């Protein structure tokens, strides 16, 4: 779906946004990843757009992960 460079960028954004989310908290990480992918699937996006989409997903997560 995405070229290797884009996939690496998406992973880096996910890792940055979820740095305080325990790796085993898969539902939160999955929600954030899904929102980042939705943003990336749009024709025009930036790193800021990806991060904003991920932050919005974190707002839905338990307060301790924000």
């Amino acid at each position: 779906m995405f070229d290797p460079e884009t996939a690496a960028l998406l992973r880096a954004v996910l890792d940055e946004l979820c740095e305080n989310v325990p790796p085993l908290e898969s539902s939160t990480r999955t929600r954030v990843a899904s929102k980042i992918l939705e943003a990336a699937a749009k024709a025009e996006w930036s790193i800021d757009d990806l991060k904003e989409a991920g932050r919005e997903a974190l707002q839905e997560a338990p307060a301790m992960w924000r």
Side-chain angles (χ1 to χ4, degrees):
M1 184 160 142
F2 295 107
D3 62 75
E5 280 185 23
T6 303
L9 173 66
L10 296 174
R11 169 62 72 178
V13 170
L14 175 64
D15 289 344
E16 178 183 330
L17 292 173
C18 291
E19 67 185 356
N20 294 322
V21 177
L24 296 178
E25 184 60 42
S26 60
S27 62
T28 299
R29 292 181 66 83
T30 300
R31 181 175 29 261
V32 174
S34 176
K35 295 297 183 178
I36 291 170
L37 288 172
E38 284 178 23
K42 296 179 182 174
E44 296 181 25
W45 55 267
S46 68
I47 293 174
D48 290 336
D49 294 335
L50 299 175
K51 288 181 179 181
E52 182 59 30
R55 283 188 204 105
E56 288 175 9
L58 282 174
Q59 292 299 317
E60 300 166 6
M64 69 180 83
W65 309 134
R66 292 185 209 152

